[in-house]
Amino acid sequence: MLKEGREIFQVRYIAIIVYITLLFGSIMLFQFQQSNTIVEDHGRLLPVKMKTVKSTDDEEEMKEIILDAARRDDSISIAGMQHSQGGQTLYPNGILLDMKSYNKILKLDEEKKLITVQSGVTWADIQSYINPYGLALKVSQSQNIFTVGGSLSVNVHGRDIQYTSLIESVESFRLLDAEGNIIHVSREENPELFHLVIGGYGLFGVILDVTLQLTDDELYQIQTKSLAYDKYSSYFTTDVLQNNAVKMHLARISVAPDNYLTEMYVTDYYKTDDQSHLTNYTTLKRESIIAIPKLFLGLSRINDWGKNMFWKTQEAYNQRIDGTFISRNNNVMRSESTFMEFDSASKTEVLQEYFVPVDQFTPYIDSLRETLQDEKDFSLLNITIRYVKKNDEAVLSYAKEDMFGLVMLINQGTSEKSIEETGEVIRKMIDVTLAHGGSYYLPYYNYPTEEQLEVAYPRAQEFFQMKEKYDPDKRFLNLFYEEYHK
């Protein structure tokens, strides 16, 4: 009886040991998986194994993350929505600092038209908050899903032709540096950092809270027009820039085979003389009629017929909105990402943006057409055009003079061969852009060469030298820095 009891005890003891071992192993495996996370940005071309992903809404905890990383000699990459596509938010075996939970709106000064927000706030959050006060953003992208910190880090631009680069509307911000210090940064206080951090891709520290200049909400009437590509520069210079009533502008040029890089349409936003009806248009809108254009965008990924139909759909939409009214960029800048969503195991969609001087637009398009005419496997889906006036405040400024920014949507494969083939075409396009005195935008995949970077951004080496000055231990790193800093 005693022997039988001992055997039962032994069996139970062994079972407990096995259970504890399995439980401990599961916990360790979970922790290992959590601390060795494969992370991708929006382009899905650069999967990176990060050491860990950390997120906090507390400033002191964030400071401790930085100091602990210094003690362990870990690198840190900073992320918002991760729509940059060139590894600007990633670094192998580094800490990913996810800022999305750091998202409070801190203060609104109606009289001075200033708002202070934490950097994880999205533009949609701000629009919802300021709209009842009759205030609007000065600068934002065409989509409002991005975080303020991420937008500052790439120095975005929008449709407004008065305030084009985001840096123009930034009053000040606080920066958490590599040593855990919090620095106040503005044009007057630590101005060198002001020009480095905005458009600095998270390489100088963590942007904490930001104070932005706002403007009054206004009522606009939309007017649209079709025209030939070689008339666009003169139209824009005469009918847009010299017309004080035009406040925002957008254009598209066809990539459909029937009128490849020849037909365009423009959308202009006129401030109306009678603002008394503004209140009828201030309700924040959601996108409508997404299904049909999304269907034809999908077909344009498949064949030339789809591309032709997608252009016709865009033209029809353009005609439909002609003469309609809309409130300022609280609604103009509310295009959401639903229309652009794309899910495929073997393909992805990447963006490129090229900036070309206004007076070079026609010869540039001619050169671009000639460059792309034999690239039958290169799937260019859409080109949107915005105006960006000269602004050299940011060290990595893309607007060396008054420019048109051509935002290109490209459908490509995710295989190594597809990446290489797409890269060859993109480098050719960049050469054409540089030959016409232009530049290109940096938040995208690292297809450009070091030489192309040097031509497009003459102050690039200064930027990297300042990185050594402010972060000699390279606490803040990403794949963009790894690729281009030599």
Side-chain angles (χ1 to χ4, degrees):
M1 190 75 176
L2 186 61
K3 180 181 178 182
E4 184 179 339
R6 280 200 303 268
E7 289 176 349
I8 293 172
F9 174 78
Q10 288 173 346
V11 169
R12 289 178 175 173
Y13 177 77
I14 291 170
I16 291 170
I17 293 298
V18 170
Y19 175 77
I20 292 173
T21 302
L22 290 173
L23 179 62
F24 180 75
S26 298
I27 292 171
M28 291 299 292
L29 177 61
F30 175 76
Q31 289 178 339
F32 176 81
Q33 290 172 337
Q34 287 293 98
S35 61
N36 289 269
T37 305
I38 300 295
V39 182
E40 293 180 313
D41 56 28
H42 196 66
R44 296 191 296 110
L45 295 178
L46 287 168
V48 174
K49 181 181 286 188
M50 306 293 292
K51 183 175 183 178
T52 187
V53 177
K54 295 190 176 183
S55 176
T56 178
D57 61 359
D58 183 81
E59 191 175 289
E60 290 302 314
E61 287 183 16
M62 203 175 303
K63 186 185 297 186
E64 185 54 36
I65 290 171
I66 305 300
L67 294 174
D68 187 58
R71 288 189 287 267
R72 299 171 183 271
D73 197 25
D74 287 332
S75 59
I76 297 173
S77 298
I78 307 163
M81 294 300 181
Q82 289 192 286
H83 274 251
S84 295
Q85 299 179 345
Q88 289 85 357
T89 61
L90 304 169
Y91 194 77
N93 202 37
I95 296 169
L96 180 68
L97 184 57
D98 183 344
M99 297 297 293
K100 290 191 292 292
S101 63
Y102 193 71
N103 59 2
K104 292 184 177 64
I105 293 176
L106 302 175
K107 181 182 178 182
L108 175 64
D109 187 326
E110 289 183 72
E111 185 178 346
K112 294 182 179 178
K113 299 175 187 175
L114 295 173
I115 190 167
T116 303
V117 300
Q118 292 180 335
S119 59
V121 161
T122 67
W123 297 105
D125 295 332
I126 297 177
Q127 288 174 326
S128 296
Y129 189 87
I130 65 177
N131 195 60
Y133 296 94
L135 296 171
L137 300 168
K138 275 190 173 181
V139 180
S140 75
Q141 296 131 287
S142 290
Q143 294 181 347
N144 60 8
I145 62 173
F146 308 111
T147 63
V148 169
S151 295
L152 256 71
S153 294
V154 303
N155 191 22
V156 300
H157 62 93
R159 300 183 193 184
D160 198 304
I161 62 174
Q162 301 172 83
Y163 317 103
T164 53
S165 301
L166 181 58
I167 194 170
E168 297 175 43
S169 67
V170 179
E171 186 82 4
S172 63
F173 57 88
R174 291 191 309 143
L175 185 74
L176 177 60
D177 73 6
E179 296 179 353
N181 302 312
I182 295 177
I183 304 170
H184 291 261
V185 182
S186 68
R187 289 175 179 83
E188 294 75 34
E189 195 173 6
N190 297 300
E192 192 171 64
L193 278 170
F194 185 86
H195 306 306
L196 288 164
V197 173
I198 301 178
Y201 296 89
L203 289 170
F204 292 86
V206 183
I207 299 172
L208 294 175
D209 47 74
V210 184
T211 299
L212 298 163
Q213 299 170 356
L214 303 174
T215 189
D216 292 321
D217 202 6
E218 296 173 338
L219 183 61
Y220 292 161
Q221 184 175 36
I222 301 172
Q223 295 187 18
T224 66
K225 181 181 178 69
S226 297
L227 72 165
Y229 79 102
D230 55 357
K231 305 296 183 186
Y232 179 55
S233 288
S234 59
Y235 168 82
F236 181 82
T237 302
T238 303
D239 294 62
V240 176
L241 281 187
Q242 295 181 24
N243 188 338
N244 292 331
V246 180
K247 301 300 183 182
M248 292 189 183
H249 173 82
L250 178 72
R252 283 192 171 89
I253 185 167
S254 174
V255 296
D258 286 353
N259 37 49
Y260 189 69
L261 298 183
T262 57
E263 282 190 13
M264 295 185 66
Y265 66 79
V266 298
T267 305
D268 298 320
Y269 299 82
Y270 288 76
K271 182 180 177 182
T272 62
D273 293 331
D274 183 3
Q275 294 287 308
S276 62
H277 299 290
L278 175 61
T279 54
N280 297 331
Y281 297 90
T282 54
T283 301
L284 294 179
K285 309 292 184 186
R286 293 184 63 86
E287 281 184 310
S288 59
I289 318 182
I290 291 175
I292 293 175
K294 188 173 181 178
L295 168 66
F296 285 114
L297 175 59
L299 292 173
S300 74
R301 297 178 176 117
I302 300 171
N303 54 36
D304 288 348
W305 178 85
K307 285 184 170 65
N308 287 324
M309 291 303 297
F310 182 46
W311 178 250
K312 290 177 181 177
T313 302
Q314 288 177 305
E315 284 187 309
Y317 174 76
N318 204 45
Q319 293 169 3
R320 187 178 71 84
I321 64 173
D322 185 37
T324 59
F325 292 88
I326 193 168
S327 71
R328 204 183 189 280
N329 55 15
N330 282 348
N331 274 318
V332 176
M333 302 298 195
R334 282 190 67 78
S335 177
E336 298 172 4
S337 61
T338 308
F339 167 67
M340 303 297 292
E341 285 176 357
F342 176 65
D343 185 21
S344 169
S346 60
K347 289 197 169 186
T348 187
E349 287 182 350
V350 300
L351 291 171
Q352 288 285 296
E353 182 168 3
Y354 305 132
F355 302 94
V356 62
V358 170
D359 61 2
Q360 284 291 305
F361 181 79
T362 298
Y364 172 69
I365 293 297
D366 288 334
S367 298
L368 193 63
R369 189 187 310 108
E370 183 179 355
T371 300
L372 295 177
Q373 63 184 356
D374 296 325
E375 304 293 345
K376 304 302 181 184
D377 295 327
F378 184 71
S379 184
L380 181 57
L381 301 180
N382 190 64
I383 301 179
T384 304
I385 301 168
R386 300 180 183 89
Y387 169 68
V388 182
K389 68 180 181 181
K390 179 180 178 180
N391 186 299
D392 56 5
E393 280 195 279
V395 173
L396 292 183
S397 174
Y398 44 77
K400 296 178 285 189
E401 55 184 287
D402 291 354
M403 303 274 207
F404 288 131
L406 289 84
V407 185
M408 302 185 182
L409 179 65
I410 300 160
N411 183 270
Q412 68 162 87
T414 56
S415 68
E416 188 174 332
K417 182 173 183 289
S418 295
I419 292 172
E420 183 179 335
E421 290 172 347
T422 301
E424 289 178 4
V425 179
I426 285 175
R427 284 186 287 275
K428 290 178 185 178
M429 291 197 296
I430 291 175
D431 280 340
V432 169
T433 305
L434 298 177
H436 287 272
S439 60
Y440 64 91
Y441 206 16
L442 293 174
Y444 303 127
Y445 193 80
N446 54 12
Y447 288 124
T449 64
E450 292 175 49
E451 292 75 18
Q452 288 174 328
L453 176 72
E454 292 289 339
V455 176
Y457 292 88
R459 300 178 69 186
Q461 287 309 312
E462 175 190 346
F463 177 84
F464 292 130
Q465 289 167 8
M466 289 297 101
K467 165 69 174 173
E468 298 285 343
K469 172 184 173 180
Y470 284 102
D471 185 14
D473 294 328
K474 297 181 176 61
R475 189 65 49 228
F476 300 103
L477 288 177
N478 58 35
L479 291 177
F480 165 74
Y481 180 84
E482 182 81 359
E483 179 69 22
Y484 293 106
H485 172 256
K486 305 299 179 185

